[in-house]
Amino acid sequence: MYAWPQTDGPLTYPINVQVSRVTESAKQSITQAGGTVTQVYYNKLGLKALLKPDWFEKKGRLLPRTVQRIPIKDQGLYDEVGQLPPADNRTVLD
């Protein structure tokens, strides 16, 4: 998934985003406008819990715990570990 689509002109207002992957051109456009880009790490199960928490409830399973650290092979690619919100504050994305 791309963080920023192709546009005709530069970004004119600052935005702050958290993404798992971002292109250098998208990151540069956002930072030049005064925004910030934070690359966060989620493992496959954590990302599923973030995007589809109702899947776990339907299966009668508990939500997974947040990953404690970035794997050695991925260190240097991410700024921080992605956090899962508490179960009572999670929103379902459609």
Side-chain angles (χ1 to χ4, degrees):
M1 178 164 89
Y2 292 98
W4 194 252
Q6 295 289 338
T7 61
D8 294 333
L11 187 62
T12 57
Y13 50 90
I15 59 173
N16 301 318
V17 294
Q18 288 187 339
V19 294
S20 29
R21 307 265 170 137
V22 65
T23 62
E24 283 301 318
S25 61
K27 189 173 186 176
Q28 185 178 10
S29 295
I30 293 169
T31 54
Q32 282 180 350
T36 60
V37 177
T38 306
Q39 287 188 257
V40 294
Y41 173 79
Y42 288 101
N43 64 5
K44 188 176 180 180
L45 193 60
L47 189 58
K48 187 169 193 166
L50 183 68
L51 299 176
K52 297 182 179 185
D54 57 327
W55 182 86
F56 292 88
E57 186 178 331
K58 287 179 187 176
K59 299 276 186 179
R61 298 181 181 172
L62 296 174
L63 292 169
R65 291 182 289 159
T66 302
V67 174
Q68 298 302 309
R69 62 179 179 260
I70 299 171
I72 293 172
K73 67 178 181 143
D74 293 328
Q75 287 181 356
L77 299 175
Y78 299 95
D79 300 322
E80 62 186 52
V81 173
Q83 299 295 314
L84 298 175
D88 57 342
N89 293 336
R90 294 187 187 182
T91 56
V92 179
L93 302 175
D94 291 325

